[in-house]
């Protein structure tokens, strides 16, 4: 039977560590770290994600401000909001919750965020730094996955084969890059990949980020593999589940993350970690 990697427990430990570090600065008379989340519209999943981030900020002693903008906000108005936040030296991190309404160019908004406050790690400047292995804000979900691998003793992936399913800008592409930097031999797959199972069966580490409920079955898995399930889906009974068929894969793999309580809480913990890094940098300036 595989070991289950409970990301929620690791995320809790990280939050406790951050809280202690914030307290040290607070007692030294420094201001608190401040994350501003910009939410456009009322998309139910986005509202729920934003609440989760707010709760996590409060738990660590960070200040969190939610700026709610109407669905009809223009791109120009939204860019002005971002520019104001860039100029505000009391703001350490800026997060614009995605997706944005169709009339707004998402990339233009992400590009407008000061890379120094880009705690989501989506700005091309930070993504470029990640690409060359420079110290930078890493995108939160891939950073969280690397942290999970570290916590099970997989710091150096020399000699390991890693396979990523999914090539999104927020998960698939950056995680492939980070795995490569950790010395894994990396293969990327996506919806146009042929004979995908033949590739995934070679994986010592399999990262799945496709958004299809319980899609990956046990015959996709190499015995003893580490399986990281990024997917967040609702099944036919509206129950939360991942992209991996957890019950069937559990008896075949070595490690697996559950959904919920796996990668999701780590994503939030890494957002806080990036915000703390930005804060430390700002208060030292
Ligand atoms: P996305 O932008 O929705 O793209 C999905 C990717 O999966 C695409 O690259 C697509 O290939 C690929 N794909 C789709 N069907 C496939 C198939 N049958 N076989 C192989 N590849 C397939 O991806 P995302 O934003 O990374 O999200 C993926 C999942 O992760 C979603 O469930 C999302 O909710 C979840 N997520 C969770 C967290 C977290 O913190 N837990 C964070 C981010 C995302 P093509 O490029 O060829 O279309």
């Amino acid at each position: 039977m595989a070991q289950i990697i409970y990301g929620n427990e690791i995320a809790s430990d990280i939050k406790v560590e951050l809280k202690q570090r914030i307290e040290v600065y607070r007692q030294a008379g420094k201001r608190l770290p401040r994350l501003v989340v910009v939410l456009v519209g009322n998309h139910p999943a986005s509202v729920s994600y934003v609440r989760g981030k707010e709760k996590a900020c409060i738990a660590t002693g960070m200040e969190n401000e939610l700026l709610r903008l109407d669905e009809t906000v223009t791109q120009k108005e939204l860019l002005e909001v971002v520019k104001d936040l860039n100029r505000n030296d009391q703001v350490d991190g800026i997060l614009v919750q995605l997706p944005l309404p169709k009339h707004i160019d998402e990339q233009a908004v992400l590009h407008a965020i000061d890379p120094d406050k880009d705690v989501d790690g989506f700005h091309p400047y930070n993504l470029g730094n990640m690409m060359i292995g420079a110290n930078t804000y890493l995108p939160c979900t891939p950073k969280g996955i690397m942290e999970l691998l570290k916590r099970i003793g997989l710091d150096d992936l020399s000699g390991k084969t890693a396979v990523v399913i999914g090539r999104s800008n927020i998960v698939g592409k950056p995680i492939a890059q980070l795995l490569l930097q950790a010395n894994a031999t990396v293969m990327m797959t996506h919806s146009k990949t042929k004979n995908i199972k033949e590739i995934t069966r070679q994986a010592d580490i399999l990262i799945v980020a496709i958004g299809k409920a319980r899609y990956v079955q046990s015959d996709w898995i190499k015995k003893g593999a580490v399986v990281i399930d990024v997917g967040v889906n609702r099944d036919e009974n509206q129950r939360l589940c991942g992209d991996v068929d957890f019950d069937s894969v559990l008896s075949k793999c070595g490690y697996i993350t559950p959904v919920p309580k796996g990668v999701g809480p780590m994503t939030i913990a890494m957002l806080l970690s990036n915000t703390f890094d930005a804060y430390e940098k700002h208060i030292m300036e």
Side-chain angles (χ1 to χ4, degrees):
M1 208 58 142
Q3 286 196 41
I4 300 173
I5 312 172
Y6 285 104
N8 60 331
E9 290 174 6
I10 298 170
S12 267
D13 291 347
I14 292 168
K15 282 188 262 180
V16 168
E17 283 163 29
L18 285 173
K19 187 176 182 173
Q20 288 165 350
R21 294 175 71 189
I22 292 167
E23 184 56 20
V24 171
Y25 283 121
R26 195 188 67 81
Q27 287 190 8
K30 302 284 185 195
R31 65 172 177 82
L32 294 172
R34 186 145 189 238
L35 172 69
V36 178
V37 177
V38 181
L39 175 63
V40 180
N42 296 303
H43 194 273
S46 296
V47 172
S48 145
Y49 289 142
V50 161
R51 286 218 181 99
K53 289 164 189 172
E54 197 173 15
K55 245 174 82 182
C57 273
I58 292 166
T60 52
M62 289 189 191
E63 288 181 346
N64 177 279
E65 188 186 337
L66 175 61
L67 285 182
R68 291 197 77 156
L69 303 175
D70 198 82
E71 182 86 26
T72 56
V73 70
T74 64
Q75 178 160 323
K76 193 163 174 265
E77 286 163 340
L78 179 55
L79 288 173
E80 277 310 316
V81 168
V82 170
K83 281 181 199 157
D84 279 348
L85 294 171
N86 286 344
R87 283 190 288 262
N88 185 340
D89 61 10
Q90 301 294 303
V91 173
D92 298 299
I94 304 169
L95 184 153
V96 178
Q97 184 64 45
L98 303 180
L100 290 170
K102 294 239 172 332
H103 66 277
I104 294 177
D105 176 355
E106 228 162 65
Q107 284 305 319
V109 175
L110 296 179
H111 287 211
I113 296 173
D114 180 349
D116 198 38
K117 298 187 178 187
D118 169 41
V119 289
D120 242 348
F122 292 161
H123 193 288
Y125 176 85
N126 289 322
L127 289 170
N129 271 335
M130 178 194 70
M131 187 83 183
I132 59 169
N135 186 21
T136 192
Y137 301 121
L138 297 175
C140 301
T141 303
K143 182 177 177 177
I145 295 170
M146 295 310 287
E147 190 60 38
L148 288 179
L149 294 178
K150 264 188 215 155
R151 302 259 173 161
I152 58 165
L154 289 174
D155 288 81
D156 184 358
L157 305 179
S158 297
K160 306 273 186 210
T161 298
V163 175
V164 179
I165 318 181
R167 54 175 164 177
S168 69
N169 288 336
I170 61 169
V171 185
K173 285 179 199 160
I175 189 62
Q177 194 56 44
L178 296 179
L179 291 163
L180 185 65
Q181 279 167 24
N183 296 324
T185 301
V186 183
M187 287 188 268
M188 290 206 67
T189 64
H190 44 78
S191 71
K192 308 289 185 288
T193 304
K194 284 194 177 145
N195 304 325
I196 196 164
K197 278 193 243 181
E198 284 172 22
I199 300 168
T200 60
R201 277 192 212 127
Q202 298 175 50
D204 300 306
I205 297 153
L206 179 65
I207 315 286
V208 190
I210 54 179
K212 289 201 154 76
R214 302 194 183 104
Y215 192 75
V216 172
Q217 299 288 318
S218 69
D219 62 340
W220 293 50
I221 308 292
K222 177 178 176 177
K223 203 166 182 307
V226 176
V227 179
I228 306 288
D229 187 355
V230 183
V232 180
N233 312 289
R234 296 269 169 196
D235 68 9
E236 55 289 355
N237 302 314
Q238 294 310 304
R239 276 182 49 208
L240 216 53
C241 69
D243 290 342
V244 176
D245 185 20
F246 185 86
D247 293 339
S248 78
V249 169
L250 189 63
S251 56
K252 181 112 178 247
C253 63
Y255 288 90
I256 186 165
T257 56
V259 178
K261 299 186 180 172
V263 172
M266 288 301 288
T267 299
I268 296 186
M270 294 302 111
L271 170 69
L272 300 179
S273 158
N274 281 348
T275 305
F276 180 80
D277 289 348
Y279 161 73
E280 250 190 341
K281 209 167 136 194
H282 296 151
I283 57 170
M284 300 299 177
E285 274 167 359

